[in-house]
Amino acid sequence: QYAPATSVIAMAEAYLFEQKRLLHCAAYVDGKYGLEGLYVGVPCIIGAGGVEQIVEIELDDEAKGNLQVS
């Protein structure tokens, strides 16, 4: 019950206080991870501009396949 609220607080603080924190959140992905035009849970830099950067991490073949299926 507390995890979603904690995540929302962390995102709001990163945005309001321009912290540029690396957080996992649902973001619009257009080309990253080989995906186009989808909202996906990915690691992002959150700052005063909202999602300022999607961080693309190296995935092994199994993880890539699972991401494509999901």
Side-chain angles (χ1 to χ4, degrees):
Q1 292 180 359
Y2 299 108
T6 302
S7 296
V8 169
I9 290 168
M11 286 183 227
E13 288 177 344
Y15 172 78
L16 293 171
F17 302 120
E18 200 170 341
Q19 294 176 336
K20 299 195 184 298
R21 289 184 61 188
L22 178 63
L23 298 167
H24 187 271
C25 63
Y28 185 76
V29 178
D30 198 17
K32 298 279 188 179
Y33 295 98
L35 302 171
E36 296 284 337
L38 297 171
Y39 285 90
V40 181
V42 290
C44 302
I45 301 294
I46 308 280
V51 175
E52 296 185 353
Q53 178 185 353
I54 295 174
V55 178
E56 193 167 7
I57 58 173
E58 184 84 24
L59 299 176
D60 63 24
D61 291 337
E62 180 181 1
K64 286 178 190 175
N66 290 337
L67 182 60
Q68 294 295 324
V69 169
S70 68

